[in-house]
Amino acid sequence: MCGIVAAIASQDVLTTLIEGLQRLEYRGYDSAGVALLNSDGKLTRVREVGKVAALEAALALQPASGKVGIAHTRWATHGRPSQSNAHPHVSGEHLAVVHNGIIENHEPLRQQLRNEGYTFTSETDTEVVAHLVAREFDRTGELTAAVQATLSQLEGAYALAVMHAEQPDTLVGARKGSPLVVGLSEEGYYLGSDPLALLPVTRQFHYLKEGDVVSLTPAGVVIHDEKGQVVTREVHHFAHEDSATGKAGYRHFMLKEIFEQPKAVADTLSSLLGDDRVRIDALGPGAAALLDSVKQVHIVACGTSYHAGQVARYWLEELAGIPCQVEVASEYRYRQVVVQPGTLFLTLSQSGETADTLAALRFAQARQDGQGQSAYLGTLAICNVPGSSLVRESDLCVLTKAGPEIGVASTKAFTTQLAALMVVVLALRQLGQGASDEEARIVAGLKALPEILSQALHLSDDIAELATKFVDRHHTLFLGRGKQYPIAMEGALKLKEISYIHAEAYAAGELKHGPLALIDEDMPIVAVAPNCELIEKLKSNLQEVRARGGELFIFADPEARFTQGDGVHVMTLPICCPQLAPILYTLPLQLLSYHVAVLKGTDVDQPRNLAKSVTVE
Ligand code: F6R
């Protein structure tokens, strides 16, 4: 949420900054800006409302250059998207700053600075930081010290990049609550919200820790921890393919990422499966000891990741006999949830930087029992980003191998989370009940899954045809029962976020208790209906809908025995291991949303008002 890129190099850095912004655009796209220090020590700033392309057009008319620069793509929090609210923000003619996060005490600080004579030209919280650093620089004459003195006055979350015309050979970055990496190369040093931003110039990174302040100069990189001590941070090599730039011939990143799912699931599972059981040792050192003591699981996540947790609840209770509670992180973190002895705290996140999920993890880690011991047995993260805060701060981590997900709507991250969750559930089952035929059947199902997912993707053209029936609708209901209910929730979320059609999901058995009143000829009903022990009950629910004029769009397998007919459209999926049907049935729902959005002409990869990686509360 908001993207930062900054550079200090031996060559002009504008191209690096603009390319970095394009690669970070998924984090926010309501405005973008850049500030550069040229060889005369003059600061030039260009900002534009809209996407990075609009900034590029502005730069064509108002050229800027320099070997030191900072840049930003914004997702508005304080103040509407406008040129004056776009970053970088400046104080006077010398200092410029870009910021990701929220400064919670910006109001009193603004008042105090106004009383001292500072003027404000934006509605943002960030402008306060600009003036504070400028004030501290006037006192100390040194940028790193000025930033450190400023940080002690800030409450809230930030990643910052700051430069000052009177110290043109220094770029300073800081992080607390929002991600920031340092890129290292022969030609220069860089800051980025995500390593993806900097892959054209480097693959070597330091991941800053909470409270770190970093100074980049031509002589090198110096990192101070939150106590002000100089520290060394490990250098990580970014090994992923650089898939961020290309859509590999697909029209959108989202479609590319939908089609990558067979491989992403196979990659995620590759090291986790033995011949006929899951490999508990592959879950990391200490995994067996920790999981062996689990009596209960609390799963906490946001959005799509939360839906994956909802599926896992069914699996945990049915396959491992372990009670499970699933909650959105924004609620969990403000509740005094009762923690029974032996409870595992499990988080799910694509990015590993989601503010609420991270805060929930820290809150859980701080909880204590009556004896002053940790209330939770331990913490486990399932995450797609190695080195992310969630991964670093959890006891155990299972990495999904989806590769970078650029489309704002999450697709392959979700299905790989489900695959990893099933491995964790089977590990818990194995530890509690020993190896079993059921585990062997599901492991075989997991191995067959990538091929079955590929078959389901062949339905894309048929689903595009079906999508024409949704384009003019204003509302849609998604129905499922059992572990397909969370898949209906995920289907509804995908449709609303990229096509802007209002969609809701219900457990089909709940229809009669109210939502049936909504049903008429204008209300399409999407049903997730693989053959399972609840299929006859679901069929009865669908009859009740059809009897009231609702048009049915049913995703089912041949064994569910649905018949196409007047107002009943059936899309037939391959048969898969019943426990794994939630993973399979996600794909056609993603495709449905995708094709509806394309027909409606919405911005599929960057839907309005949204951003990927929600690093503010
Ligand atoms: C929806 C979507 C979001 C994210 C949510 C959590 O398509 O992408 O709902 O799932 O913001 O993000 P992560 O998984 O990064 O914690």
Side-chain angles (χ1 to χ4, degrees):
M1 193 150 265
C2 293
I4 289 176
V5 53
I8 179 164
S10 50
Q11 305 289 329
D12 187 87
V13 295
L14 182 63
T15 312
T16 302
L17 297 181
I18 294 297
E19 186 161 6
L21 285 187
Q22 285 161 340
R23 288 163 160 263
L24 288 181
E25 204 166 39
Y26 69 89
R27 297 179 70 90
Y29 31 85
D30 63 47
S31 52
V34 61
L36 290 136
L37 277 176
N38 71 13
S39 48
D40 304 328
K42 186 172 174 303
L43 193 134
T44 313
R45 173 175 63 155
V46 181
R47 302 176 293 170
E48 205 53 63
V49 175
K51 295 196 175 187
V52 178
L55 176 65
E56 281 184 283
L59 281 161
L61 302 173
Q62 193 186 341
S65 64
K67 293 177 184 172
V68 188
I70 59 178
H72 189 266
T73 179
R74 180 171 186 247
W75 184 86
T77 56
H78 292 68
R80 71 207 147 82
S82 68
Q83 196 177 46
S84 58
N85 287 333
H87 298 218
H89 288 285
V90 296
S91 182
E93 291 179 356
H94 294 131
L95 181 125
V97 59
V98 288
H99 166 222
N100 169 19
I102 291 180
I103 305 302
E104 287 168 1
N105 59 338
H106 71 102
E107 290 288 8
L109 289 171
R110 182 187 299 259
Q111 199 47 54
Q112 184 190 327
L113 286 159
R114 274 206 179 108
N115 295 343
E116 291 175 28
Y118 288 91
T119 51
F120 285 81
T121 57
S122 80
E123 303 157 275
T124 67
D125 49 341
T126 306
E127 202 176 356
V128 163
V129 181
H131 289 320
L132 286 175
V133 181
R135 185 179 70 177
E136 297 301 334
F137 188 89
D138 290 344
R139 271 187 208 156
T140 61
E142 206 286 314
L143 191 56
T144 307
V147 170
Q148 284 168 319
T150 299
L151 299 184
S152 63
Q153 302 168 56
L154 302 181
E155 287 165 22
Y158 50 75
L160 296 168
V162 190
M163 61 186 194
H164 199 294
E166 288 175 18
Q167 196 177 326
D169 60 351
T170 307
L171 192 58
V172 178
R175 80 154 280 181
K176 185 175 157 227
S178 296
L180 196 66
V181 300
V182 181
L184 313 163
S185 86
E186 300 272 296
E187 286 73 37
Y189 302 108
Y190 311 88
L191 297 171
S193 299
D194 182 328
L196 286 182
L198 302 173
L199 291 186
V201 286
T202 185
R203 284 185 169 259
Q204 308 294 331
F205 296 97
H206 292 303
Y207 293 101
L208 293 180
K209 292 200 172 159
E210 286 293 274
D212 280 355
V213 175
V214 60
S215 315
L216 314 180
T217 67
V221 170
V222 179
I223 302 174
H224 293 87
D225 67 10
E226 61 188 338
K227 296 195 189 94
Q229 302 296 321
V230 173
V231 284
T232 45
R233 300 277 178 238
E234 218 180 309
V235 177
H236 295 262
H237 179 79
F238 188 91
H240 283 298
E241 262 172 64
D242 183 9
S243 55
T245 42
K247 295 180 189 150
Y250 289 94
R251 185 165 167 195
H252 295 99
F253 280 111
M254 183 182 179
L255 190 62
K256 170 175 165 258
E257 288 160 6
I258 289 173
F259 274 80
E260 281 172 346
Q261 289 176 106
K263 181 173 182 316
V265 167
D267 289 350
T268 298
L269 292 171
S270 67
S271 61
L272 302 176
L273 302 180
D275 286 345
D276 57 1
R277 62 178 72 180
V278 296
R279 288 186 45 207
I280 299 172
D281 61 317
L283 298 177
L290 177 65
L291 296 183
D292 200 23
S293 308
V294 171
K295 304 266 177 301
Q296 190 169 145
V297 179
H298 286 173
I299 301 181
V300 173
C302 300
T304 288
S305 295
Y306 164 73
H307 294 154
Q310 286 284 6
V311 175
R313 178 164 67 100
Y314 287 87
W315 286 339
L316 270 165
E317 292 180 346
E318 194 177 325
L319 295 170
I322 291 179
C324 175
Q325 175 180 311
V326 189
E327 190 159 10
V328 290
S330 54
E331 285 298 312
Y332 171 87
R333 61 183 285 195
Y334 294 112
R335 264 176 7 96
Q336 291 300 317
V337 175
V338 176
V339 186
Q340 301 285 359
T343 303
L344 175 72
F345 186 80
L346 195 161
T347 53
L348 296 162
S349 176
Q350 187 285 124
S351 60
E353 300 292 350
T354 301
D356 281 322
T357 309
L358 261 177
L361 171 67
R362 291 168 187 158
F363 176 70
Q365 284 168 329
R367 297 288 306 274
Q368 294 190 336
D369 62 15
Q371 279 75 51
Q373 304 294 315
S374 281
Y376 281 98
L377 186 65
T379 58
L380 164 63
I382 294 183
C383 186
N384 196 40
V385 181
S388 61
S389 304
L390 203 68
V391 168
R392 288 201 313 264
E393 294 182 29
S394 299
D395 299 330
L396 274 184
C397 164
V398 180
L399 284 176
T400 49
K401 308 266 174 61
E405 193 181 62
I406 306 297
V408 163
S410 191
T411 52
K412 58 180 180 169
F414 177 69
T415 44
T416 53
Q417 281 172 350
L418 287 175
L421 277 164
M422 179 52 103
V423 171
V424 172
V425 170
L426 291 177
L428 287 164
R429 177 189 167 101
Q430 203 188 102
L431 288 163
Q433 306 171 20
S436 63
D437 290 349
E438 177 74 336
E439 180 179 354
R441 258 193 302 278
I442 297 172
V443 167
L446 285 169
K447 288 180 177 170
L449 194 58
E451 172 53 29
I452 294 173
L453 297 182
S454 299
Q455 289 170 25
L457 292 172
H458 290 140
L459 292 172
S460 184
D461 289 346
D462 295 340
I463 293 173
E465 190 64 38
L466 214 59
T468 57
K469 299 190 176 296
F470 288 76
V471 185
D472 300 326
R473 308 298 179 96
H474 298 292
H475 309 276
T476 301
L477 274 190
F478 284 73
L479 300 179
R481 296 195 71 138
K483 44 188 153 329
Q484 308 305 334
Y485 170 40
I487 300 307
M489 291 161 77
E490 175 57 10
L493 176 62
K494 284 287 95 84
L495 189 69
K496 60 189 150 199
E497 70 183 321
I498 61 168
S499 78
Y500 317 148
I501 293 174
H502 170 231
E504 275 192 76
Y506 275 95
E510 188 64 13
L511 271 188
K512 288 194 214 50
H513 302 287
L516 206 52
L518 293 170
I519 306 295
D520 62 15
E521 301 74 37
D522 293 328
M523 175 70 90
I525 315 293
V526 177
V528 191
N531 188 28
C532 66
E533 61 290 354
L534 291 171
I535 193 69
E536 294 309 324
K537 297 199 181 299
L538 178 63
K539 281 184 179 172
S540 306
N541 302 140
L542 296 180
Q543 292 287 353
E544 289 155 11
V545 169
R546 187 66 202 121
R548 284 154 184 86
E551 193 171 359
L552 295 174
F553 298 83
I554 302 171
F555 293 86
D557 59 36
E559 290 177 351
R561 297 182 192 289
F562 281 96
T563 322
Q564 184 103 5
D566 181 31
V568 181
H569 312 269
V570 181
M571 192 59 62
T572 307
L573 277 97
I575 291 172
C576 78
C577 166
Q579 287 291 354
L580 302 176
I583 306 181
L584 173 63
Y585 280 72
T586 301
L587 272 56
L589 301 191
Q590 295 168 343
L591 285 167
L592 179 66
S593 302
Y594 172 78
H595 289 299
V596 174
V598 168
L599 288 170
K600 289 196 71 174
T602 59
D603 191 340
V604 172
D605 284 333
Q606 295 174 343
R608 69 183 179 202
N609 304 339
L610 300 181
K612 207 162 182 75
S613 195
V614 184
T615 53
V616 294
E617 185 175 351

